[in-house]
Amino acid sequence: MPNRLASATSPYLLQHADNPVDWWEWGDEAFAEARRRDVPVLISVGYAACHWCHVMAHESFEDPATAAFMNEHFVCVKVDREERPDVDAVYMAATQAMTGSGGWPMTVFATPDGRPFFCGTYFPPRRVHQMPSFPEVLAALAAAWTGSRDEVLTSADTIADALGQRPAAGADGPSGGDLVDERVVARALGGIAATFDERDGGFGGAPKFPPSMVLEWLLRHHARTGDADALAMVRRTLDAMARGGMYDQLAGGFARYSVDATWTVPHFEKMLYDNALLLRVYLHAWRLTGDPLDRRVVEETAAWLLADLRTGEGGFASALDADSEGREGAFYAWTPAQLRDVLGDDDGAWAAHAFGVTAEGTFEHGASVLQLQDDPAAARRATVRDRLRDARETRPRPARDDKVVSAWNGLAVAALAEAGALLDRPEWVDAARRCARLLADLHTRTDADGGDRLVRTSRDGVVGTAAGVLEDYADVAEGYLALAAVTGEHEWSARAQRLLTTVLAHFGDGDGGLFDTADDETDPVLGALRRPQDPADGPTPAGPPAAAAVLVSLGAATGSLALREAAVAALRDPLRLAARYPRAAGTALATAEALLDGPREVAVVGRPDDPATQALHRSALASAAPGLVVAVGDPDHLGPDAPALLHDRPLVDGRPAAYVCRGFVCDRPTTDPTALTHNLHHDQR
């Protein structure tokens, strides 16, 4: 019989709806039930594409005896970390503090008021070496709650006190007026270069995650300064990822990370956020260098997003699972015999060589993950790829987590809008516009004060109950601004401004920084522990520097010094972090590059159907100037939503023109796209 999760909107929670565990969703009711029964709360946090979450569910949560003990001694709460990043952040901080590491599944035991007293991750059904079994953990904690309550509560108090202390972001970092200067960037460059893997690309050793935000920073730094070393780190990393097993050589799109240092074998789930971020990084690299590999990755990844992740409502699903047929990677791996079965002996042997498929295999069961270390004949590669992709479609497919997350869809809007404009693919711009419309119409509500408020998720056109967090506001605003720059539809920049007005009104910490939750939408259980505030990038841009980035852009578009000042203040902790941990501060450093460069602003004025207007617009969008702000509009028909950057910008001798400004100083307008390109490319500080 289904449990309470049967009515959830999260696909991850729905995966557990038939467990014998009497699961509750996160909420006041669960904690009230724990107080009524005087039992601890067991909080299990995971996500739909998490392989080890599935393993623990099968081993423990589907086991009747384990479930019966859980139900008798605990109130059990299941949390989708992607739906509730605020819950995940607070309890992950506790888990890392108690164990020195973290990950998913995350298993937390808390008092009925939510204070954690024991934390861990995956526990096996039977003891493995020094790792206790899950039944042993359950029994020990149930006994401690009844027999050693005072010690448990003392431990909970100690952990809660530690969580309530604001973590230091790096006391030896910049402060005050020195927040954004060349010294900050130089120190971070030294730190990131020291961890660069010159042979295989990326930073650090195994496992290797795609360093999307760091690569974006390095591209901006090269564009601003001409630093060849920064570009070389980007180039080696992008090439290695695109040719390795983390990239789907048949359909496009990237897996979550590589389990090794050579990008050979991935952890196979494919996430929307990774692919939106990487699509944009490869696009910006192509814009800067013209490398055909970058363009191919952009085209294939955009096609995969539209084919495999787009929902019926026009949004994008969160992820594809790593598993199919009960095995991780079964959908993606090949043996030489399987290649011959599909392609015949000649093409099968060619494909085995081209894609690195060996008799020994690079993965499990003698199978290999496809790689493309060389550049075989393009026509033959394309033909073989299509035949293999068609054959692969007959295999059982990985499951799809089809919830629509506001932040990640904002990232997708930005990537598809820019890629569609730069590569002349209007269907991608249309997809970005449709997704933005879903975010504006379904994910946004108007509060009592007239402000725009976001929800975190929806599924099948039904919104979830979780409020949007800071990354949702920042990334959706980023998507809106990119869409406005590409289309000239000023509704989107106005919507971005309304979201940022909400950020400044409800997310501030009183000292210029930004919390991850709104002051009137912070969960009371979490608020009693620690209101989340994380300056460090993870798989996605951290909320505070992401908000700073869009505050910089909007400040430039509107001429608002106050917005620029708010952006600089919000960068305080992220840039202090950059001094010591630059790999966790790519977004902040990319934003610093924009501030150091201006950012530059380009107002293109003219009729939208005039080829001369379009040529100037294309030239502006093709510039790699860090954080460049572009606005386009007809000076004779500017609506109320048009940004201030377009005001009082007349045509020049009746012809469309581009106005380039930086630091409150504007150059003479030009009607020549070539001159505009030269201005934006060569005017470096």
Side-chain angles (χ1 to χ4, degrees), residues 27 101 105 113 141 148 161 207 243 257 284 302 394 414 431 591 626 673:
S101 62
D113 59 2
L141 294 176
S148 306
D161 289 344
R243 296 180 184 280
Y257 64 89
H284 292 170
T394 65
T591 306

Side-chain angles (χ1 to χ4, degrees), residues 177-200:
D178 297 330
L179 274 173
V180 181
D181 66 14
E182 295 288 358
R183 292 172 296 174
V184 173
V185 173
R187 182 170 180 180
L189 278 170
I192 205 68
T195 66
F196 178 61
D197 183 341
E198 294 186 4
R199 188 186 70 176
D200 295 311

Side-chain angles (χ1 to χ4, degrees), residues 395-450:
R395 298 176 175 181
R397 291 183 59 85
R400 186 173 87 161
D401 180 344
D402 54 0
K403 70 176 178 292
V404 174
V405 176
S406 292
W408 308 347
N409 275 257
L411 296 174
V413 169
L416 288 170
E418 285 192 355
L422 288 173
L423 300 186
D424 195 23
R425 298 294 294 269
E427 69 274 22
W428 297 352
V429 179
D430 289 341
R433 183 186 289 109
R434 187 180 176 204
C435 182
R437 182 59 60 195
L438 177 74
L439 295 171
D441 291 349
L442 183 65
H443 282 226
T444 306
R445 64 175 176 83
T446 302
D447 64 18
D449 298 325

Side-chain angles (χ1 to χ4, degrees), residues 162-470:
L163 287 175
Q165 297 175 7
R166 181 173 175 174
D172 55 347
S175 62
D178 297 330
L179 274 173
V180 181
D181 66 14
E182 295 288 358
R183 292 172 296 174
V184 173
V185 173
R187 182 170 180 180
L189 278 170
I192 205 68
T195 66
F196 178 61
D197 183 341
E198 294 186 4
R199 188 186 70 176
D200 295 311
F203 303 94
K208 276 186 178 171
F209 292 82
S212 305
M213 290 74 79
V214 167
L215 296 178
E216 180 65 32
W217 160 47
L218 293 173
L219 283 171
R220 287 188 176 193
H221 182 71
H222 171 78
R224 184 175 67 86
T225 67
D227 185 334
D229 291 338
L231 182 60
M233 287 188 279
V234 174
R235 186 72 272 148
R236 182 69 193 102
T237 303
L238 292 183
D239 286 351
M241 290 194 300
R243 296 180 184 280
M246 201 177 78
Y247 184 67
D248 185 344
Q249 302 294 342
L250 300 185
F254 289 86
R256 175 74 276 269
Y257 64 89
S258 172
V259 302
D260 50 58
T262 59
W263 309 101
T264 301
V265 176
H267 193 44
F268 288 90
E269 67 257 36
K270 296 171 79 172
M271 313 299 295
L272 172 61
Y273 54 75
D274 281 323
N275 285 282
L277 289 164
L278 287 167
L279 192 159
R280 208 173 183 195
V281 169
Y282 277 90
L283 176 72
H284 292 170
W286 173 81
R287 181 175 63 184
L288 194 64
T289 69
D291 191 300
L293 177 62
D294 295 336
R295 178 168 184 148
R296 178 168 67 80
V297 169
V298 170
E299 292 173 337
E300 292 174 353
T301 301
W304 172 78
L305 282 174
L306 295 176
D308 281 17
L309 291 191
R310 188 154 54 164
T311 70
E313 296 76 34
F316 291 90
S318 295
L320 295 184
D321 204 340
D323 298 7
S324 57
E325 302 179 89
R327 292 188 292 115
E328 183 180 5
F331 184 70
Y332 299 100
W334 294 81
T335 65
Q338 290 172 327
L339 294 180
R340 291 193 300 271
D341 288 344
V342 174
L343 301 171
D345 289 343
D346 185 34
D347 279 348
W350 182 90
H353 175 75
F355 290 113
V357 177
T358 65
E360 299 79 13
T362 58
F363 185 50
E364 300 170 351
H365 311 294
S368 294
V369 183
L370 302 189
Q371 303 176 74
L372 196 66
Q373 300 301 336
D374 300 317
D375 287 310
R380 189 173 191 182
R381 184 192 71 83
T383 299
V384 166
R385 178 200 63 201
D386 291 347
R387 291 168 65 190
L388 290 175
R389 185 180 61 225
D390 290 345
R392 193 176 73 175
E393 286 300 311
T394 65
R395 298 176 175 181
R397 291 183 59 85
R400 186 173 87 161
D401 180 344
D402 54 0
K403 70 176 178 292
V404 174
V405 176
S406 292
W408 308 347
N409 275 257
L411 296 174
V413 169
L416 288 170
E418 285 192 355
L422 288 173
L423 300 186
D424 195 23
R425 298 294 294 269
E427 69 274 22
W428 297 352
V429 179
D430 289 341
R433 183 186 289 109
R434 187 180 176 204
C435 182
R437 182 59 60 195
L438 177 74
L439 295 171
D441 291 349
L442 183 65
H443 282 226
T444 306
R445 64 175 176 83
T446 302
D447 64 18
D449 298 325
D452 279 3
R453 291 300 185 95
L454 288 171
V455 296
R456 173 69 175 174
T457 64
S458 70
R459 181 171 182 263
D460 294 335
V462 178
V463 296
T465 58
V469 295
L470 183 59

